[in-house]
Amino acid sequence: MYVSRAVESLRADPIEGEPVELLLETAEDADPERVAAAAAAAGATVERHLQFDDLLVSTTQDEIDALCELDGLTAVQTGNVNAIATADDVEEDLDHGD
């Protein structure tokens, strides 16, 4: 299963009680309702069911490990992709047309 670097860094040094949104990508053969129920049992709140049966969940950083152990997932990534707001925040070199 793929776990993004951002999620791995939160797992390595979680701040107890600090909220985080995660995108849980479900496997093709997984039942998204079962994955949602398992995520809820692990302490997450399912915020939305997304396209391709993926889930957007909210939880706390100290509960990420439990979510990464769920069956039926192919990836766990941060849900707030809009947090990268400037070119200086991204890791790739960008051509700004200068």
Side-chain angles (χ1 to χ4, degrees):
M1 176 184 67
Y2 171 76
V3 178
S4 72
R5 287 192 307 172
V7 173
E8 282 294 349
S9 68
L10 295 174
R11 286 176 81 182
D13 191 22
I15 300 171
E16 187 173 341
E18 184 70 21
V20 63
E21 283 192 335
L22 300 175
L23 173 65
L24 306 181
E25 295 183 22
T26 60
E28 285 185 30
D29 60 347
D31 177 356
E33 293 304 321
R34 286 186 141 203
V35 175
T45 300
V46 177
E47 300 294 344
R48 291 191 351 227
H49 288 257
L50 303 171
Q51 190 174 15
F52 308 116
D53 293 328
D54 296 338
L55 303 168
L56 179 66
V57 302
S58 59
T59 190
T60 57
Q61 290 182 13
D62 49 302
E63 293 176 338
I64 293 174
D65 275 336
L67 292 171
C68 288
E69 299 299 320
L70 296 179
D71 290 331
L73 297 180
T74 59
V76 178
Q77 302 185 56
T78 55
N80 189 3
V81 294
N82 293 327
I84 298 175
T86 68
D88 294 332
D89 294 331
V90 298
E91 296 174 1
E92 298 87 13
D93 292 328
L94 299 177
D95 179 7
H96 297 284
D98 296 333

